Amino acid sequence: MKFIRLLKKKLKKYFLLIKRFFYKDFFIPFKGIRKNDILVFDDIFPHPISGFRLEEFKVLLNVFKKSKIVIDPTAYSIIKTPIKHHQIHIKEFEIQSGLIKKINLKKGFVNVNTKLFYCVFLHNISINLKWLEKFEIPFVFTLYPGGGFKINEDISDQKLEKVLTSPMFRKVIVTQKITYEYLLEKKLCKKENIEFIFGCVVPQISLSKDLTDKKTYLINKTTFDICFCAAKYTSKGEDKGYDIFIEFAKTIVNRYDFINFHIIGGFNEEDIDVSELKEKVKFYGYQNFDSLSSIFQKMDVLISPNKAFMLGKGAFDGFPLGTVVEAALNGVCVLITDELKQNNAFVPNVDLILIDSDIDSIVKNIINLIENPQKLYLISQNGKEKFIQVYSNETQMKPRIAILLNEIVETTK
């Protein structure tokens, strides 16, 4: 009887394996003959909504000739994009970048023979850790805020400890001062294994925007246009401060009849009642990276009143958000919160305006800009110049490439 039970168990296992093979919903990594210098992994690339991934991974795939990227597009469902669009996005990326046959799906038998593995976000390195250790593949990853990383949260700490104590771990790139200090304070990682590069990678086309047709209050238009731009993770967007933004809009809409409000991202008129704003508010939904520029060039101000720890214990956003960066590069004056004191590059009231995530703070600063338009113009210009400096590939990608190159060299010694 025991033999029969074991036989049935084995047969069931093989049946499931065969079934998965025909449905192609499995992943079997193996070390093939062909060896890459670097293998990149991601869960949303090359979705056009994620501009920083498009730029960073495109640069890496160009710099490292023996390279490829493996994709498991699980994040498509999170941003409500039909999975059938993934193949369309791959074709578009290949045509635009000229990088052909560099993308592999994390399905079926995948050759993972590489000198170095790289990805961004904690959850992406965590789900690949088992086979990286099995095949003894060294790895480097970028620990951005989000993506499973939370401060003083048990599950996050357990994942971090497991990753950072792996025999295959080499370096972690951090982009926020709070992340750097947290890893050291919790003794999760040695200082020599942490590389701090403030900010994130930005599509370089954003740094050379033609702002000839930029619309600006009292220069070539009579309206004062305020926008909010964020993904939706909660019903009322409390983490991004959407609820605060709408209350602010209701507070000030009757004071100035030339103000308009623009909502970009995952929110619509059903999330919070906006009937008081009437024709003064417009919703755009999620926008591809390329579409944001044409919208931002009609805006005067972007408000980002995001709050830390609203998505759960220890959850926080990086400073500034990617949408803030894109807005500033399009000549928009940005008003943003910095509860966790993460600002490491910008001068308040010179390059941008720091606000509290409350209505009074936002109202006060908006009135100041409306009644002092020269301040609006000056901060917009200063901000654009500083953001170009901070987010150039010279500042962002050059040190990243150096880190990866050094680790590849170390693996061949």
Side-chain angles (χ1 to χ4, degrees), residues 176-190:
Q176 302 290 324
K177 182 170 58 175
I178 190 172
T179 306
Y180 181 84
E181 293 172 348
Y182 182 74
L183 293 182
L184 293 178
E185 287 171 5
K186 297 280 285 192
K187 298 182 179 177
L188 289 164
C189 189
K190 294 179 181 178

Side-chain angles (χ1 to χ4, degrees), residues 7-22:
L7 181 61
K8 284 183 178 179
K9 191 174 181 181
K10 286 282 185 182
L11 288 173
K12 184 178 181 180
K13 178 181 178 182
Y14 289 129
F15 173 76
L16 289 172
L17 185 61
I18 292 169
K19 183 179 178 181
R20 291 169 70 192
F21 176 80
F22 283 108

Side-chain angles (χ1 to χ4, degrees), residues 115 407-413:
K115 295 176 183 176
E407 293 308 320
I408 289 172
V409 170
E410 287 296 317
T411 64
T412 58
K413 286 183 178 179

